[in-house]
Amino acid sequence: MSLADEIKNWQEKFSALLQEGQLLQQKAAQLEKQNAYLQESHSRRQVDGGIGALSKLYDEGFHICHAYFAQTREEDCLFCLSFLHKE
């Protein structure tokens, strides 16, 4: 095999490696986006579940505000309600 043929062969291999590297970069970018979405979705479900649990606790007659957390309440608490209605 001549030197020119070896160089051409090497260039073809190098070109194939570059293409493979670009594909891997694209896949990595897609996985990073998917991971960020899944983490955000998981966090949102945890917060929604936590708010739901606190809402249930409030409905059962307990405070969920910082000042009186888990103490029984006799009437509605503006602090608890403002916490529940935050968005």
Side-chain angles (χ1 to χ4, degrees):
M1 184 183 297
S2 72
L3 182 59
D5 289 337
E6 288 183 41
I7 291 173
K8 184 178 179 184
N9 189 24
W10 182 84
Q11 286 175 332
E12 289 172 357
K13 288 179 183 180
F14 185 71
S15 178
L17 283 173
L18 283 175
Q19 285 180 323
E20 188 176 341
Q22 290 171 345
L23 288 174
L24 287 173
Q25 278 184 317
Q26 291 172 355
K27 287 181 182 181
Q30 289 173 344
L31 288 172
E32 287 176 355
K33 285 181 184 180
Q34 184 181 16
N35 187 36
Y37 172 78
L38 290 172
Q39 285 180 347
E40 181 181 323
S41 177
H42 179 70
S43 295
R44 192 177 312 121
R45 280 194 309 268
Q46 284 183 324
V47 168
D48 290 346
I51 296 296
L54 290 174
S55 178
K56 183 178 177 184
L57 188 64
Y58 183 79
D59 290 342
E60 291 174 357
F62 297 94
H63 283 275
I64 59 168
C65 62
H66 178 70
Y68 304 105
F69 185 77
Q71 294 180 21
T72 56
R73 61 179 178 79
E74 301 297 322
E75 54 190 27
D76 283 337
C77 171
L78 293 178
F79 296 115
C80 293
L81 291 174
S82 68
F83 177 77
L84 283 175
H85 297 292
K86 281 185 184 177
E87 302 217 5

